[in-house]
Amino acid sequence: MALGPLERDGNGFWALGDRERNPSGSRVVLLPEGLEQRCDGVRQTLVPWSRFMTIHAVGPRFEGRHRIGPLVRATLRHPYEVWEARFTRHAHRYRTAHVLLLDELFVRTAEAKETERLGDPDWLAAVVERLAPQSPWTRKALRSAVAEARKV
């Protein structure tokens, strides 16, 4: 089961990015203690959940004339800063609905000040299981689907 670039890895944790296609690529792993960026298979940065004020799953998309690859973008506290972690895209295309649902899930979870729930593999599995079959196309339908799925 997957939700766009979000898939469960062999260790039972959820991650953004394709490690198999490009072993030297980047991934963002959702761990119980926070988000961890890994590049070339090496752990880079671990940001504790308590630091996240906002969080978005972005791309790939265009901003102006520049293509923005897939990344996680967040606003952190203590000290306040914008944090970005890029990840390697999977070979397959992501369903647009999945990308929108994933971003909405991150945004709503941060707004509820519950970002640590994203590091709970079982909770996230239940949420992804509920969201993956859906294809909402309006902002209202996206919000409603995510709100219902987060209740697990």
Side-chain angles (χ1 to χ4, degrees):
M1 184 79 42
L3 192 62
L6 181 68
E7 293 182 343
R8 204 158 192 177
D9 67 15
N11 297 324
F13 296 113
W14 289 86
L16 298 157
D18 186 358
R19 177 88 173 113
E20 273 105 52
R21 185 178 113 188
N22 185 358
S24 65
S26 300
R27 298 176 71 218
V28 177
V29 183
L30 289 74
L31 299 169
E33 53 275 1
L35 274 184
E36 182 178 80
Q37 184 176 22
R38 296 180 184 174
C39 298
D40 294 326
V42 178
R43 294 177 171 185
Q44 301 291 317
T45 307
L46 174 72
V47 180
W49 293 117
S50 61
R51 290 200 59 206
F52 286 92
M53 295 171 57
T54 65
I55 184 170
H56 293 272
V58 178
R61 71 174 193 206
F62 287 89
E63 288 184 3
R65 295 191 306 173
H66 302 283
R67 185 178 187 279
I68 305 298
L71 60 93
V72 174
R73 182 179 289 156
T75 305
L76 306 177
R77 64 172 63 88
H78 309 302
Y80 293 104
E81 63 182 304
V82 174
W83 178 78
E84 290 184 350
R86 298 192 179 279
F87 56 89
T88 303
R89 202 176 138 50
H90 291 84
H92 61 271
R93 295 182 59 93
Y94 305 134
R95 289 182 48 211
T96 302
H98 279 187
V99 173
L100 295 172
L101 285 165
L102 178 61
D103 185 53
E104 187 72 17
L105 173 63
F106 280 10
V107 168
R108 298 297 160 217
T109 304
E111 282 181 355
K113 297 181 177 19
E114 297 178 336
T115 51
E116 72 281 350
R117 294 186 89 184
L118 296 171
D120 178 347
D122 297 330
W123 179 81
L124 197 52
V127 171
V128 169
E129 187 176 328
R130 292 179 118 187
L131 291 176
Q134 299 190 42
S135 293
W137 287 105
T138 66
R139 178 62 60 193
K140 183 178 178 180
L142 279 167
R143 285 187 178 150
S144 177
V146 168
E148 281 301 310
R150 289 186 69 247
K151 290 179 183 179
V152 296

